[in-house]
Amino acid sequence: MVAYRTRRLCFLVTLFYLATTQAVILEKTFNDTVALVATLQQRIAELQSNLGDLAKQTQLQQLEVEERVRSEGNSGIKQVRYVAHGTSSYFDYTHANLGVAAIHDHTNYHDTLGMGEVIVVINGVEFRTRHNDYRLVQPDTSTRTFRAVKDIIPPPVPPQVSSKPTVALQILEMREWFKAFKTQNITHRDYRPYFQPVICYMEGFWSLEQNIMEPFKSDRHALFASSWKQLQEQ
């Protein structure tokens, strides 16, 4: 009787050991499966992201090729912002709309020249700008900092204007100077020392920066993107 109970107890202990071992194995298998599923899900997400990037890159390359064919080589303005309506091709804007290169007046801002968004080609490379409205500045030659600029010092007011005793008389005299400049008549007023021309030009450069930096300062407009990906998706 004692031997029978001993054998039965050993049998129960063996069953308990086997059950415990199997539970441990099942738990380990479950944990391994969960980890494997998480790894596969992460890998699938990476593949989906890579596939989306490749598809987007293919679309952008096709767009770039088609537009490059239209304006291969040289430099110039292809397109300004489009605000007209009509059924004929001559209603369409190209390099000019209300003004060449979409240039417009912004005398309500300090040292700001109004210029709308444009599509341009520089040495065969096409790119698009935001609405520009750029400040009148020049390269700062006193530093080697990339894209450093400084204000352009305006010419002085003609002494024939500033010497007038009242503002009303100064305005009347200044109108004569503007009239001389408009008609290019130096015998009426020799405007040349006080109406100095400033050549404005557009530069383009390749960038390896991951985040977008504003190419130039504007008191009116800015890019609504912090990365190239965000800019492409707009």
Side-chain angles (χ1 to χ4, degrees):
M1 187 67 178
V2 174
Y4 172 76
R5 290 181 178 178
T6 302
R7 288 196 300 271
R8 185 176 181 182
L9 179 61
C10 292
F11 177 74
L12 292 176
V13 170
T14 302
L15 288 178
F16 178 77
Y17 173 78
L18 292 175
T20 303
T21 303
Q22 186 175 10
V24 172
I25 294 174
L26 289 175
E27 182 179 2
K28 184 177 184 304
T29 303
F30 176 79
N31 292 335
D32 292 343
T33 303
V34 171
L36 178 61
V37 170
T39 302
L40 292 176
Q41 288 178 340
Q42 181 180 0
R43 183 57 178 165
I44 291 174
E46 292 175 354
L47 291 174
Q48 289 176 337
S49 177
N50 293 337
L51 182 60
D53 291 340
L54 288 174
K56 181 183 296 183
Q57 181 65 26
T58 302
Q59 294 173 351
L60 292 175
Q61 285 180 337
Q62 182 65 24
L63 176 63
E64 190 271 339
V65 169
E66 292 176 354
E67 294 198 346
R68 178 178 289 273
V69 170
R70 303 188 188 103
S71 58
E72 188 71 31
N74 300 322
S75 300
I77 298 176
K78 283 181 53 179
Q79 184 71 52
V80 297
R81 59 177 173 174
Y82 188 82
V83 294
H85 302 280
T87 56
S88 301
S89 59
Y90 53 78
F91 288 113
D92 190 13
Y93 295 147
T94 54
H95 63 283
N97 50 14
L98 302 179
V100 176
I103 293 175
H104 51 278
D105 179 52
H106 264 311
T107 52
N108 54 329
Y109 283 83
H110 177 67
D111 286 347
T112 297
L113 286 80
M115 180 178 177
E117 55 273 23
V118 292
I119 302 176
V120 297
V121 178
I122 296 182
N123 296 333
V125 179
E126 178 185 304
F127 61 94
R128 307 182 181 206
T129 73
R130 60 160 165 81
H131 196 109
N132 294 281
D133 288 351
Y134 58 92
R135 291 285 307 277
L136 190 62
V137 294
Q138 62 182 344
D140 189 353
T141 57
S142 64
T143 177
R144 297 180 63 86
T145 303
F146 185 46
R147 292 187 288 185
V149 294
K150 62 180 180 180
D151 292 337
I152 295 178
I153 300 176
V157 177
Q160 295 88 335
V161 175
S162 58
S163 62
K164 298 297 181 182
T166 64
V167 174
L169 292 176
Q170 291 177 356
I171 292 174
L172 291 176
E173 179 63 23
M174 195 68 215
R175 287 176 179 173
E176 297 301 320
W177 287 83
F178 279 118
K179 180 180 178 180
F181 173 73
K182 180 180 180 180
T183 59
Q184 300 289 284
N185 185 0
I186 62 174
T187 59
H188 182 63
R189 298 287 192 280
D190 190 1
Y191 58 84
R192 290 173 296 181
Y194 311 104
F195 289 74
Q196 299 175 1
V198 175
I199 298 178
C200 296
Y201 58 92
M202 181 176 291
E203 289 183 322
F205 58 90
W206 299 108
S207 175
L208 298 178
E209 299 170 349
Q210 296 297 322
N211 297 325
I212 295 179
M213 296 178 60
E214 284 291 340
F216 57 90
K217 179 178 176 55
S218 173
D219 292 336
R220 288 178 43 80
H221 299 280
L223 292 172
F224 291 101
S226 59
S227 65
W228 296 106
K229 183 177 181 180
Q230 288 182 352
L231 186 63
Q232 291 172 352
E233 291 176 347
Q234 290 183 358

